[in-house]
Amino acid sequence: MKKAAAIGNVIFIYLTALLPVFLFANGKSKFVTFMWEHFFYNNVWISLFFLLLFGIVMYVINILFLLQTRKGRWTAQELARTNMIVKFMQIPAYIFIFIVGLLCMVMIFTIGITFVFVLLDAVSIGMTGLYAAAVFNELRKEQFITQKMQIFYSLASFVFCADVIMAILGYRVCAIQKEDV
């Protein structure tokens, strides 16, 4: 469950980053044209539907993961490390989406694409925020952090850029505590 949630969270944001590639490379690449015509029938709404359907499935998996961590199946350090790796792996996709979103704001008829990216980014940050909340719950259970720190770290994990910092801090707290023991 831990790996499924982590890998799915990374895949979701990269699928989001793949949307503009399909939109703007259609007709320029045989592979993209084939995919666009045969899987999405030249319809952006179908690709968005599948992406959102995948997002819903990933939300369910992340919620189940959150519930399973309460049983103590994984150590805090293992979860914190995975959380940090997931956050680092998502950075290139977020940068690409940000750049494409900025470019789409230049012309009035592509500004809607930017709003779609903002919504999909919010969905992604929600998924990884749930994952991080499970991590910080385990950190508190293993007495690496206090309850106030858990609440702060968990809430900050739902904020862009702050989530990466919280993931690093969570892993760092575990690493320092393990060295002291």
Side-chain angles (χ1 to χ4, degrees), residues 9 22 24 28 69 73 86 109 115:
N9 289 341
F22 278 136
F24 299 124
K28 295 176 181 81
T69 56
R73 293 188 65 189
V86 165
F109 61 87
F115 292 122

Side-chain angles (χ1 to χ4, degrees), residues 141-156:
K141 276 184 12 186
E142 293 185 23
Q143 299 178 348
F144 287 118
I145 59 175
T146 65
Q147 186 172 6
K148 286 182 182 180
M149 289 172 71
Q150 176 199 358
I151 293 169
F152 175 73
Y153 284 1
S154 295
L155 291 176

Side-chain angles (χ1 to χ4, degrees), residues 26 32-33 35-46:
N26 187 19
V32 171
T33 304
M35 294 284 291
W36 194 245
E37 289 175 358
H38 291 89
F39 288 108
F40 303 118
Y41 304 104
N42 290 323
N43 191 338
V44 71
W45 298 109
I46 293 173

